[in-house]
PDB file of all heavy atoms in Angstrom:
ATOM      1  N   SER A 239       4.404 -16.083  20.065  1.00  0.00           N
ATOM      2  CA  SER A 239       5.384 -16.985  19.916  1.00  0.00           C
ATOM      3  C   SER A 239       5.358 -17.727  18.480  1.00  0.00           C
ATOM      4  O   SER A 239       4.185 -17.828  17.935  1.00  0.00           O
ATOM      5  CB  SER A 239       5.336 -17.936  21.026  1.00  0.00           C
ATOM      6  OG  SER A 239       6.294 -19.030  20.811  1.00  0.00           O
ATOM      7  N   SER A 240       6.561 -18.354  18.188  1.00  0.00           N
ATOM      8  CA  SER A 240       6.473 -19.250  17.060  1.00  0.00           C
ATOM      9  C   SER A 240       5.761 -20.675  17.283  1.00  0.00           C
ATOM     10  O   SER A 240       5.556 -21.447  16.346  1.00  0.00           O
ATOM     11  CB  SER A 240       7.870 -19.519  16.550  1.00  0.00           C
ATOM     12  OG  SER A 240       8.629 -20.096  17.678  1.00  0.00           O
ATOM     13  N   ASP A 241       5.364 -20.806  18.529  1.00  0.00           N
ATOM     14  CA  ASP A 241       4.443 -21.926  18.853  1.00  0.00           C
ATOM     15  C   ASP A 241       3.023 -21.811  18.472  1.00  0.00           C
ATOM     16  O   ASP A 241       2.259 -22.711  18.735  1.00  0.00           O
ATOM     17  CB  ASP A 241       4.702 -22.462  20.342  1.00  0.00           C
ATOM     18  CG  ASP A 241       4.155 -21.374  21.278  1.00  0.00           C
ATOM     19  OD1 ASP A 241       3.388 -20.482  20.918  1.00  0.00           O
ATOM     20  OD2 ASP A 241       4.510 -21.438  22.455  1.00  0.00           O
ATOM     21  N   GLY A 242       2.663 -20.621  17.913  1.00  0.00           N
ATOM     22  CA  GLY A 242       1.301 -20.419  17.408  1.00  0.00           C
ATOM     23  C   GLY A 242       0.349 -19.921  18.454  1.00  0.00           C
ATOM     24  O   GLY A 242      -0.796 -19.681  18.265  1.00  0.00           O
ATOM     25  N   THR A 243       0.895 -19.714  19.711  1.00  0.00           N
ATOM     26  CA  THR A 243       0.037 -19.168  20.786  1.00  0.00           C
ATOM     27  C   THR A 243       0.371 -17.796  21.202  1.00  0.00           C
ATOM     28  O   THR A 243       1.530 -17.262  20.843  1.00  0.00           O
ATOM     29  CB  THR A 243       0.132 -20.080  22.123  1.00  0.00           C
ATOM     30  OG1 THR A 243       1.483 -19.903  22.666  1.00  0.00           O
ATOM     31  CG2 THR A 243      -0.031 -21.529  21.874  1.00  0.00           C
ATOM     32  N   VAL A 244      -0.605 -17.214  21.887  1.00  0.00           N
ATOM     33  CA  VAL A 244      -0.417 -15.928  22.599  1.00  0.00           C
ATOM     34  C   VAL A 244      -0.664 -16.109  24.085  1.00  0.00           C
ATOM     35  O   VAL A 244      -1.787 -16.718  24.344  1.00  0.00           O
ATOM     36  CB  VAL A 244      -1.343 -14.799  21.942  1.00  0.00           C
ATOM     37  CG1 VAL A 244      -1.134 -13.477  22.676  1.00  0.00           C
ATOM     38  CG2 VAL A 244      -1.194 -14.710  20.438  1.00  0.00           C
ATOM     39  N   LYS A 245       0.229 -15.685  24.870  1.00  0.00           N
ATOM     40  CA  LYS A 245      -0.125 -15.719  26.344  1.00  0.00           C
ATOM     41  C   LYS A 245      -0.233 -14.464  27.020  1.00  0.00           C
ATOM     42  O   LYS A 245       0.487 -13.425  26.614  1.00  0.00           O
ATOM     43  CB  LYS A 245       1.089 -16.590  26.999  1.00  0.00           C
ATOM     44  CG  LYS A 245       1.125 -17.980  26.500  1.00  0.00           C
ATOM     45  CD  LYS A 245       2.101 -18.845  27.297  1.00  0.00           C
ATOM     46  CE  LYS A 245       2.167 -20.390  26.743  1.00  0.00           C
ATOM     47  NZ  LYS A 245       3.191 -21.130  27.487  1.00  0.00           N
ATOM     48  N   LEU A 246      -1.120 -14.275  27.915  1.00  0.00           N
ATOM     49  CA  LEU A 246      -1.524 -13.100  28.724  1.00  0.00           C
ATOM     50  C   LEU A 246      -0.932 -13.310  30.083  1.00  0.00           C
ATOM     51  O   LEU A 246      -1.409 -14.349  30.779  1.00  0.00           O
ATOM     52  CB  LEU A 246      -2.846 -12.783  28.720  1.00  0.00           C
ATOM     53  CG  LEU A 246      -3.422 -12.093  27.448  1.00  0.00           C
ATOM     54  CD1 LEU A 246      -4.932 -11.808  27.651  1.00  0.00           C
ATOM     55  CD2 LEU A 246      -2.717 -10.632  27.388  1.00  0.00           C
ATOM     56  N   TRP A 247       0.074 -12.595  30.653  1.00  0.00           N
ATOM     57  CA  TRP A 247       0.557 -12.838  31.938  1.00  0.00           C
ATOM     58  C   TRP A 247       0.134 -11.665  32.826  1.00  0.00           C
ATOM     59  O   TRP A 247       0.138 -10.504  32.327  1.00  0.00           O
ATOM     60  CB  TRP A 247       2.041 -12.860  31.798  1.00  0.00           C
ATOM     61  CG  TRP A 247       2.573 -13.960  30.830  1.00  0.00           C
ATOM     62  CD1 TRP A 247       2.802 -13.819  29.558  1.00  0.00           C
ATOM     63  CD2 TRP A 247       3.012 -15.221  31.223  1.00  0.00           C
ATOM     64  NE1 TRP A 247       3.322 -14.910  28.986  1.00  0.00           N
ATOM     65  CE2 TRP A 247       3.373 -15.804  30.025  1.00  0.00           C
ATOM     66  CE3 TRP A 247       2.912 -16.030  32.382  1.00  0.00           C
ATOM     67  CZ2 TRP A 247       3.783 -17.201  29.958  1.00  0.00           C
ATOM     68  CZ3 TRP A 247       3.357 -17.263  32.382  1.00  0.00           C
ATOM     69  CH2 TRP A 247       3.844 -17.787  31.163  1.00  0.00           C
ATOM     70  N   ASN A 248      -0.221 -11.983  34.013  1.00  0.00           N
ATOM     71  CA  ASN A 248      -0.529 -10.937  35.045  1.00  0.00           C
ATOM     72  C   ASN A 248       0.708 -10.375  35.577  1.00  0.00           C
ATOM     73  O   ASN A 248       1.569 -11.165  36.133  1.00  0.00           O
ATOM     74  CB  ASN A 248      -1.384 -11.471  36.201  1.00  0.00           C
ATOM     75  CG  ASN A 248      -2.157 -10.510  36.904  1.00  0.00           C
ATOM     76  OD1 ASN A 248      -1.606  -9.536  37.269  1.00  0.00           O
ATOM     77  ND2 ASN A 248      -3.423 -10.783  37.300  1.00  0.00           N
ATOM     78  N   LEU A 249       0.935  -9.025  35.401  1.00  0.00           N
ATOM     79  CA  LEU A 249       2.165  -8.439  35.860  1.00  0.00           C
ATOM     80  C   LEU A 249       2.271  -8.433  37.410  1.00  0.00           C
ATOM     81  O   LEU A 249       3.372  -8.114  37.895  1.00  0.00           O
ATOM     82  CB  LEU A 249       2.401  -7.043  35.246  1.00  0.00           C
ATOM     83  CG  LEU A 249       2.895  -7.041  33.807  1.00  0.00           C
ATOM     84  CD1 LEU A 249       2.918  -5.699  33.175  1.00  0.00           C
ATOM     85  CD2 LEU A 249       4.250  -7.716  33.669  1.00  0.00           C
ATOM     86  N   ASP A 250       1.155  -8.629  38.052  1.00  0.00           N
ATOM     87  CA  ASP A 250       1.124  -8.681  39.507  1.00  0.00           C
ATOM     88  C   ASP A 250       1.404 -10.191  39.918  1.00  0.00           C
ATOM     89  O   ASP A 250       0.569 -10.924  40.063  1.00  0.00           O
ATOM     90  CB  ASP A 250      -0.134  -8.212  40.074  1.00  0.00           C
ATOM     91  CG  ASP A 250      -0.087  -8.256  41.630  1.00  0.00           C
ATOM     92  OD1 ASP A 250       1.067  -8.305  42.142  1.00  0.00           O
ATOM     93  OD2 ASP A 250      -1.183  -8.227  42.088  1.00  0.00           O
ATOM     94  N   GLY A 251       2.779 -10.618  39.872  1.00  0.00           N
ATOM     95  CA  GLY A 251       3.061 -11.848  40.321  1.00  0.00           C
ATOM     96  C   GLY A 251       3.546 -12.817  39.077  1.00  0.00           C
ATOM     97  O   GLY A 251       4.006 -13.920  39.192  1.00  0.00           O
ATOM     98  N   PHE A 252       3.368 -12.314  37.826  1.00  0.00           N
ATOM     99  CA  PHE A 252       3.747 -12.983  36.725  1.00  0.00           C
ATOM    100  C   PHE A 252       3.207 -14.375  36.584  1.00  0.00           C
ATOM    101  O   PHE A 252       3.767 -15.326  36.063  1.00  0.00           O
ATOM    102  CB  PHE A 252       5.322 -13.092  36.517  1.00  0.00           C
ATOM    103  CG  PHE A 252       5.887 -11.757  36.460  1.00  0.00           C
ATOM    104  CD1 PHE A 252       6.419 -11.019  37.579  1.00  0.00           C
ATOM    105  CD2 PHE A 252       6.049 -11.095  35.328  1.00  0.00           C
ATOM    106  CE1 PHE A 252       7.010  -9.783  37.581  1.00  0.00           C
ATOM    107  CE2 PHE A 252       6.540  -9.865  35.107  1.00  0.00           C
ATOM    108  CZ  PHE A 252       7.097  -9.113  36.271  1.00  0.00           C
ATOM    109  N   THR A 253       1.841 -14.505  36.857  1.00  0.00           N
ATOM    110  CA  THR A 253       1.128 -15.719  36.692  1.00  0.00           C
ATOM    111  C   THR A 253       0.569 -15.733  35.311  1.00  0.00           C
ATOM    112  O   THR A 253       0.182 -14.578  34.781  1.00  0.00           O
ATOM    113  CB  THR A 253       0.111 -15.804  37.831  1.00  0.00           C
ATOM    114  OG1 THR A 253      -0.717 -14.625  37.792  1.00  0.00           O
ATOM    115  CG2 THR A 253       0.654 -16.109  39.106  1.00  0.00           C
ATOM    116  N   LEU A 254       0.302 -16.855  34.752  1.00  0.00           N
ATOM    117  CA  LEU A 254      -0.339 -16.943  33.431  1.00  0.00           C
ATOM    118  C   LEU A 254      -1.749 -16.755  33.646  1.00  0.00           C
ATOM    119  O   LEU A 254      -2.524 -17.502  34.293  1.00  0.00           O
ATOM    120  CB  LEU A 254      -0.003 -18.355  32.813  1.00  0.00           C
ATOM    121  CG  LEU A 254      -0.580 -18.664  31.483  1.00  0.00           C
ATOM    122  CD1 LEU A 254      -0.138 -17.653  30.351  1.00  0.00           C
ATOM    123  CD2 LEU A 254      -0.361 -20.060  30.958  1.00  0.00           C
ATOM    124  N   GLU A 255      -2.341 -15.809  32.938  1.00  0.00           N
ATOM    125  CA  GLU A 255      -3.767 -15.350  32.985  1.00  0.00           C
ATOM    126  C   GLU A 255      -4.597 -16.233  31.934  1.00  0.00           C
ATOM    127  O   GLU A 255      -5.569 -16.952  32.423  1.00  0.00           O
ATOM    128  CB  GLU A 255      -3.980 -13.921  32.608  1.00  0.00           C
ATOM    129  CG  GLU A 255      -5.370 -13.442  32.873  1.00  0.00           C
ATOM    130  CD  GLU A 255      -5.631 -13.023  34.422  1.00  0.00           C
ATOM    131  OE1 GLU A 255      -4.594 -13.084  35.288  1.00  0.00           O
ATOM    132  OE2 GLU A 255      -6.752 -12.784  34.766  1.00  0.00           O
ATOM    133  N   ARG A 256      -4.044 -16.291  30.592  1.00  0.00           N
ATOM    134  CA  ARG A 256      -4.739 -16.978  29.590  1.00  0.00           C
ATOM    135  C   ARG A 256      -3.806 -17.352  28.567  1.00  0.00           C
ATOM    136  O   ARG A 256      -2.852 -16.659  28.273  1.00  0.00           O
ATOM    137  CB  ARG A 256      -5.903 -16.123  28.988  1.00  0.00           C
ATOM    138  CG  ARG A 256      -7.142 -15.898  29.851  1.00  0.00           C
ATOM    139  CD  ARG A 256      -8.006 -14.976  29.215  1.00  0.00           C
ATOM    140  NE  ARG A 256      -8.616 -15.460  27.940  1.00  0.00           N
ATOM    141  CZ  ARG A 256      -9.201 -14.660  27.044  1.00  0.00           C
ATOM    142  NH1 ARG A 256      -9.130 -13.394  27.050  1.00  0.00           N
ATOM    143  NH2 ARG A 256      -9.676 -15.228  25.880  1.00  0.00           N
ATOM    144  N   THR A 257      -4.054 -18.419  27.844  1.00  0.00           N
ATOM    145  CA  THR A 257      -3.383 -18.799  26.648  1.00  0.00           C
ATOM    146  C   THR A 257      -4.385 -18.695  25.471  1.00  0.00           C
ATOM    147  O   THR A 257      -5.452 -19.327  25.586  1.00  0.00           O
ATOM    148  CB  THR A 257      -2.844 -20.242  26.683  1.00  0.00           C
ATOM    149  OG1 THR A 257      -1.877 -20.321  27.746  1.00  0.00           O
ATOM    150  CG2 THR A 257      -2.037 -20.523  25.465  1.00  0.00           C
ATOM    151  N   LEU A 258      -4.076 -17.873  24.475  1.00  0.00           N
ATOM    152  CA  LEU A 258      -4.950 -17.652  23.358  1.00  0.00           C
ATOM    153  C   LEU A 258      -4.499 -18.531  22.215  1.00  0.00           C
ATOM    154  O   LEU A 258      -3.415 -18.394  21.625  1.00  0.00           O
ATOM    155  CB  LEU A 258      -4.946 -16.127  22.870  1.00  0.00           C
ATOM    156  CG  LEU A 258      -5.090 -15.182  24.066  1.00  0.00           C
ATOM    157  CD1 LEU A 258      -5.044 -13.761  23.570  1.00  0.00           C
ATOM    158  CD2 LEU A 258      -6.593 -15.334  24.682  1.00  0.00           C
ATOM    159  N   ARG A 259      -5.516 -19.454  21.901  1.00  0.00           N
ATOM    160  CA  ARG A 259      -5.098 -20.417  20.839  1.00  0.00           C
ATOM    161  C   ARG A 259      -6.087 -20.227  19.580  1.00  0.00           C
ATOM    162  O   ARG A 259      -7.222 -19.808  19.841  1.00  0.00           O
ATOM    163  CB  ARG A 259      -5.255 -21.873  21.343  1.00  0.00           C
ATOM    164  CG  ARG A 259      -4.398 -22.252  22.580  1.00  0.00           C
ATOM    165  CD  ARG A 259      -4.608 -23.639  23.025  1.00  0.00           C
ATOM    166  NE  ARG A 259      -4.066 -23.869  24.367  1.00  0.00           N
ATOM    167  CZ  ARG A 259      -2.793 -24.174  24.555  1.00  0.00           C
ATOM    168  NH1 ARG A 259      -1.962 -24.376  23.517  1.00  0.00           N
ATOM    169  NH2 ARG A 259      -2.307 -24.349  25.787  1.00  0.00           N
ATOM    170  N   GLY A 260      -5.572 -20.406  18.416  1.00  0.00           N
ATOM    171  CA  GLY A 260      -6.405 -20.330  17.371  1.00  0.00           C
ATOM    172  C   GLY A 260      -5.639 -20.071  15.996  1.00  0.00           C
ATOM    173  O   GLY A 260      -5.944 -20.522  14.966  1.00  0.00           O
ATOM    174  N   HIS A 261      -4.450 -19.375  16.167  1.00  0.00           N
ATOM    175  CA  HIS A 261      -3.609 -19.156  15.011  1.00  0.00           C
ATOM    176  C   HIS A 261      -2.821 -20.519  14.762  1.00  0.00           C
ATOM    177  O   HIS A 261      -2.490 -21.321  15.561  1.00  0.00           O
ATOM    178  CB  HIS A 261      -2.512 -18.194  15.373  1.00  0.00           C
ATOM    179  CG  HIS A 261      -2.966 -16.765  15.296  1.00  0.00           C
ATOM    180  ND1 HIS A 261      -3.440 -16.200  14.088  1.00  0.00           N
ATOM    181  CD2 HIS A 261      -3.010 -15.707  16.249  1.00  0.00           C
ATOM    182  CE1 HIS A 261      -3.793 -14.860  14.356  1.00  0.00           C
ATOM    183  NE2 HIS A 261      -3.554 -14.641  15.649  1.00  0.00           N
ATOM    184  N   GLN A 262      -2.678 -20.680  13.352  1.00  0.00           N
ATOM    185  CA  GLN A 262      -2.051 -21.981  12.939  1.00  0.00           C
ATOM    186  C   GLN A 262      -0.582 -21.914  12.668  1.00  0.00           C
ATOM    187  O   GLN A 262      -0.027 -22.989  12.434  1.00  0.00           O
ATOM    188  CB  GLN A 262      -2.851 -22.336  11.637  1.00  0.00           C
ATOM    189  CG  GLN A 262      -4.354 -22.519  11.606  1.00  0.00           C
ATOM    190  CD  GLN A 262      -4.794 -23.438  12.772  1.00  0.00           C
ATOM    191  OE1 GLN A 262      -4.394 -24.578  12.728  1.00  0.00           O
ATOM    192  NE2 GLN A 262      -5.673 -23.031  13.619  1.00  0.00           N
ATOM    193  N   ARG A 263      -0.039 -20.731  12.654  1.00  0.00           N
ATOM    194  CA  ARG A 263       1.432 -20.585  12.405  1.00  0.00           C
ATOM    195  C   ARG A 263       1.836 -19.575  13.418  1.00  0.00           C
ATOM    196  O   ARG A 263       1.318 -19.075  14.382  1.00  0.00           O
ATOM    197  CB  ARG A 263       1.626 -20.196  10.957  1.00  0.00           C
ATOM    198  CG  ARG A 263       1.431 -21.278   9.930  1.00  0.00           C
ATOM    199  CD  ARG A 263       1.472 -20.770   8.536  1.00  0.00           C
ATOM    200  NE  ARG A 263       1.060 -21.839   7.560  1.00  0.00           N
ATOM    201  CZ  ARG A 263       1.937 -22.529   6.922  1.00  0.00           C
ATOM    202  NH1 ARG A 263       3.202 -22.383   7.008  1.00  0.00           N
ATOM    203  NH2 ARG A 263       1.584 -23.431   6.050  1.00  0.00           N
ATOM    204  N   TRP A 264       3.177 -19.109  13.161  1.00  0.00           N
ATOM    205  CA  TRP A 264       3.854 -18.165  14.009  1.00  0.00           C
ATOM    206  C   TRP A 264       2.963 -17.016  14.171  1.00  0.00           C
ATOM    207  O   TRP A 264       2.425 -16.322  13.287  1.00  0.00           O
ATOM    208  CB  TRP A 264       5.270 -17.799  13.405  1.00  0.00           C
ATOM    209  CG  TRP A 264       6.187 -18.887  13.302  1.00  0.00           C
ATOM    210  CD1 TRP A 264       6.009 -20.213  13.296  1.00  0.00           C
ATOM    211  CD2 TRP A 264       7.649 -18.700  13.333  1.00  0.00           C
ATOM    212  NE1 TRP A 264       7.235 -20.996  13.299  1.00  0.00           N
ATOM    213  CE2 TRP A 264       8.272 -20.073  13.291  1.00  0.00           C
ATOM    214  CE3 TRP A 264       8.487 -17.625  13.287  1.00  0.00           C
ATOM    215  CZ2 TRP A 264       9.540 -20.151  13.277  1.00  0.00           C
ATOM    216  CZ3 TRP A 264       9.878 -17.849  13.242  1.00  0.00           C
ATOM    217  CH2 TRP A 264      10.460 -19.202  13.272  1.00  0.00           C
TER     218      TRP A 264
END
Side-chain angles (χ1 to χ4, degrees):
S239 173
S240 58
D241 65 15
T243 69
V244 181
K245 293 185 180 180
L246 280 176
W247 305 87
N248 197 319
L249 281 175
D250 182 18
F252 296 95
T253 53
L254 180 61
E255 191 82 9
R256 288 173 67 200
T257 300
L258 308 177
R259 302 180 193 276
H261 283 300
Q262 304 302 309
R263 291 173 182 258
W264 292 24

